[in-house]
């Protein structure tokens, strides 16, 4: 009986040691078999390996639903826990260990509008798009150029072809290629990359890219897009310095900046319930979100059909926080009242010198105000929503 128990304990122990989860401490070659016949890729530092089986003291087998089976012969590079004292070599080209864009092993997308797929094939569902020049973290780099690689995307994961990854594209080189292109399809392809890389660059480069696009849009009978691009470029060039961010607070103190209802700017302590109900109807819900750092003592979240407020329980007033444009709801900047009829061009002219962020994918702009910011979102070219965002 004791011998039987001993054998069972040994088998359980062997199984526990044979299948485990480990980290890669330094860039490590992956092979196609246990004898190291062919190198098939590189696991980067920090890669988390599941389903690791110890073949012998010199070989580990890694089974992955996506990658299949690979082998690591440098077994000393696999650790249960990574620590800062671990010695790590530089990753081989083209992998970039860290730079100003990303702090762990990565590459950049080198095409425009790269589709992220749910599964590693071109027939799979598209779950998102990556702009040209987007840094992409990688745990494994396959040597097969037709292979796919798994990436973290929108708090989940997706797959992209590895052949569309490389070093960060150069904006000036793309502009040169665009100017040399004679075919319309090539000009369009380069222009897409220029615009997308611009949004993934600093404000000066982005402004340059937008001006190049404006000229392209004019030549291709898109005057409206050209006008917006030029205005966006001007806004980027006019972004206030850090010490000028209190400009908005000065306007607020002069009652020249803030939410309006029927052209009346929001009082410092907020609107009365009766005033809000004339625009938004009855309260739909109210609660106190304990994790909402915008709420102070005796304050609560108040929801209307097309607005959200912070309710001040003591003085019985309400300050607007999120407002859908329409029915008299608006916003004042200097001497201009913005509403559901305000175009993107009009807003850019009004907000120039105050806007510090352009969120191109969301069709939105932000104006800072102390420890918060106002976000202006557009839909079909018109102002649709304004949100006060608190940075806590």
């Amino acid at each position: 009986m004791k011998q039987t128990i001993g054998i069972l304990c040994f088998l359980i122990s062997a199984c526990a040691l044979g299948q485990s989860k480990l980290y890669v401490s330094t860039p490590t070659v992956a092979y196609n078999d246990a004898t190291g016949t062919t190198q098939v890729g590189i696991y980067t530092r920090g890669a988390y390996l599941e389903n690791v089986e110890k073949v012998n003291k010199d070989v580990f087998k890694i089974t992955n639903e996506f990658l299949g089976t690979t082998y690591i012969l440098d077994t000393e590079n696999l650790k249960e826990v990574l620590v800062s004292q671990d010695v790590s070599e530089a990753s081989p080209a083209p992998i970039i260990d860290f730079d100003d864009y990303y702090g762990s092993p990565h590459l950049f997308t080198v095409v425009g509008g790269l589709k992220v797929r749910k599964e590693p094939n071109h027939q799979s569902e598209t779950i998102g798009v990556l702009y040209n020049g987007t840094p992409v973290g990688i745990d494994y780099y396959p040597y097969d150029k037709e292979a796919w690689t798994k990436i973290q995307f929108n708090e989940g994961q997706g797959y992209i072809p590895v052949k569309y990854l490389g070093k960060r594209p150069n904006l000036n080189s793309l502009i040169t290629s665009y100017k040399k292109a004679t075919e319309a399809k090539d000009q369009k392809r380069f222009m897409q990359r220029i615009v997308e890389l611009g949004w993934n660059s600093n404000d000066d480069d982005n402004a340059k890219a937008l001006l190049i696009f404006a000229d392209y849009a004019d030549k291709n009978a898109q005057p409206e897009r050209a006008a917006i691009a030029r205005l966006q470029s001007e806004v980027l060039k006019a972004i206030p310095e850090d010490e000028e961010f209190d400009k908005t607070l000065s306007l607020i103190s002069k009652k020249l900046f803030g939410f309006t209802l029927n052209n009346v700017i929001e009082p410092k302590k907020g609107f009365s319930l009766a005033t809000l109900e004339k625009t938004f109807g009855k309260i739909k819900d109210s609660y106190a979100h304990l994790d909402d750092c915008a709420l102070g003592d005796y304050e609560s979240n108040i929801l209307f059909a097309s607005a959200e407020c912070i309710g001040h329980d003591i003085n019985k007033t309400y300050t607007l926080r999120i407002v859908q444009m329409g029915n008299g709801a608006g916003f004042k900047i200097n001497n201009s009242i913005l509403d559901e009829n305000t175009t993107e061009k009009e807003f850019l002219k009004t907000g120039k010198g105050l806007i510090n962020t352009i969120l191109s994918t969301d069709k939105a702009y932000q104006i800072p105000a102390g420890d918060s910011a106002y976000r202006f979102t557009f839909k079909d070219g018109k102002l649709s929503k304004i949100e006060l965002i608190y940075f806590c």
Side-chain angles (χ1 to χ4, degrees):
M1 182 68 177
K2 288 182 179 180
Q3 184 179 9
T4 302
I5 293 174
I7 292 172
L8 284 173
C9 289
F10 172 78
L11 290 174
I12 292 171
S13 185
C15 181
L17 290 173
Q19 295 283 346
S20 59
K21 301 176 181 180
L22 298 170
Y23 292 93
V24 178
S25 63
T26 189
T28 300
V29 174
Y31 295 90
N32 67 325
D33 59 29
T35 60
T37 302
T38 304
Q39 296 183 4
V40 292
I42 288 283
Y43 285 104
T44 62
R45 171 173 167 76
Y48 179 54
L49 307 180
E50 299 184 83
N51 299 318
V52 180
E53 181 180 347
K54 187 174 182 180
V55 178
N56 56 53
K57 66 182 181 67
D58 298 317
V59 179
F60 280 92
K61 180 171 75 172
I62 298 93
T63 304
N64 182 286
E65 181 181 359
F66 161 56
L67 296 175
T69 301
T70 56
Y71 294 82
I72 288 179
L73 277 58
D74 299 312
T75 56
E76 70 278 5
N77 295 344
L78 302 188
K79 312 277 187 179
E80 292 185 356
V81 178
L82 293 182
V83 295
S84 59
Q85 290 78 17
D86 289 334
V87 176
S88 180
E89 298 178 356
S91 295
I95 302 169
I96 302 162
D97 287 317
F98 62 88
D99 56 19
D100 292 340
Y101 300 93
Y102 206 82
S104 58
H106 65 284
L107 290 170
F108 295 89
T109 55
V110 294
V111 294
L114 179 59
K115 295 178 181 178
V116 182
R117 304 282 185 176
K118 189 173 183 179
E119 300 294 337
N121 62 75
H122 290 289
Q123 289 71 47
S124 179
E125 174 188 350
T126 298
I127 59 174
V129 176
L130 296 177
Y131 276 5
N132 182 34
T134 302
V136 177
I138 55 172
D139 290 333
Y140 177 76
Y141 181 77
Y143 289 153
D144 179 3
K145 296 303 181 183
E146 296 305 314
W148 292 66
T149 187
K150 182 170 68 174
I151 65 169
Q152 298 304 309
F153 186 77
N154 286 349
E155 299 181 358
Q157 66 182 37
Y159 298 87
I160 55 177
V162 72
K163 65 183 177 183
Y164 298 134
L165 297 178
K167 68 178 184 179
R168 180 173 167 79
N170 181 275
L171 181 62
N172 290 328
S173 296
L174 285 174
I175 292 174
T176 299
S177 297
Y178 160 71
K179 290 180 176 179
K180 289 181 177 179
T182 55
E183 296 291 332
K185 64 177 182 180
D186 292 331
Q187 292 175 347
K188 183 178 181 180
R189 175 167 57 89
F190 284 122
M191 184 49 58
Q192 181 182 14
R193 295 184 185 184
I194 288 169
V195 171
E196 292 185 2
L197 183 58
W199 290 118
N200 273 325
S201 302
N202 59 55
D203 293 334
D204 289 339
D205 282 348
N206 195 9
K208 181 194 296 185
L210 286 167
L211 288 179
I212 296 292
F213 172 74
D215 289 339
Y216 170 83
D218 273 335
K219 293 174 182 176
N220 287 272
Q222 302 175 57
E224 188 72 12
R225 296 185 69 184
I228 289 176
R230 287 194 175 91
L231 287 169
Q232 288 177 327
S233 180
E234 290 177 13
V235 162
L236 290 172
K237 293 175 181 178
I239 286 178
E241 300 293 336
D242 290 342
E243 61 269 17
E244 295 179 348
F245 278 169
D246 60 357
K247 186 184 296 184
T248 306
L249 298 178
S250 175
L251 292 175
I252 291 173
S253 68
K254 297 174 184 177
K255 297 185 178 180
L256 295 174
F257 189 95
F259 289 108
T260 62
L261 292 181
N262 296 314
N263 297 334
V264 176
I265 196 164
E266 182 179 66
K268 185 175 182 180
K269 292 185 178 180
F271 287 110
S272 68
L273 179 58
T275 299
L276 292 176
E277 287 181 337
K278 288 179 181 178
T279 301
F280 304 115
K282 298 293 184 181
I283 292 175
K284 296 292 184 181
D285 194 11
S286 64
Y287 59 94
H289 194 312
L290 297 179
D291 294 327
D292 190 342
C293 64
L295 298 184
D297 295 335
Y298 307 106
E299 293 183 337
S300 54
N301 306 86
I302 307 296
L303 303 181
F304 294 87
S306 59
E308 179 179 338
C309 301
I310 294 178
H312 309 286
D313 301 337
I314 294 178
N315 59 23
K316 303 300 181 182
T317 58
Y318 304 80
T319 51
L320 290 165
R321 188 174 183 178
I322 303 175
V323 179
Q324 303 287 343
M325 293 293 98
N327 301 316
F331 200 92
K332 186 174 186 178
I333 299 180
N334 284 312
N335 295 315
S336 299
I337 299 292
L338 315 181
D339 58 24
E340 73 273 21
N341 295 312
T342 300
T343 66
E344 196 170 352
K345 288 195 299 183
E346 291 169 338
F347 171 76
L348 287 166
K349 292 175 182 178
T350 302
K352 179 181 174 181
L354 296 173
I355 300 167
N356 77 327
T357 303
I358 300 177
L359 304 166
S360 62
T361 55
D362 297 325
K363 286 290 183 182
Y365 303 86
Q366 285 186 189
I367 295 179
D371 294 330
S372 59
Y374 290 84
R375 179 174 296 178
F376 301 78
T377 301
F378 288 78
K379 183 178 180 181
D380 299 326
K382 299 291 182 67
L383 183 60
S384 65
K385 183 176 71 172
I386 303 174
E387 179 178 0
L388 176 54
I389 300 168
Y390 294 88
F391 302 119
C392 307

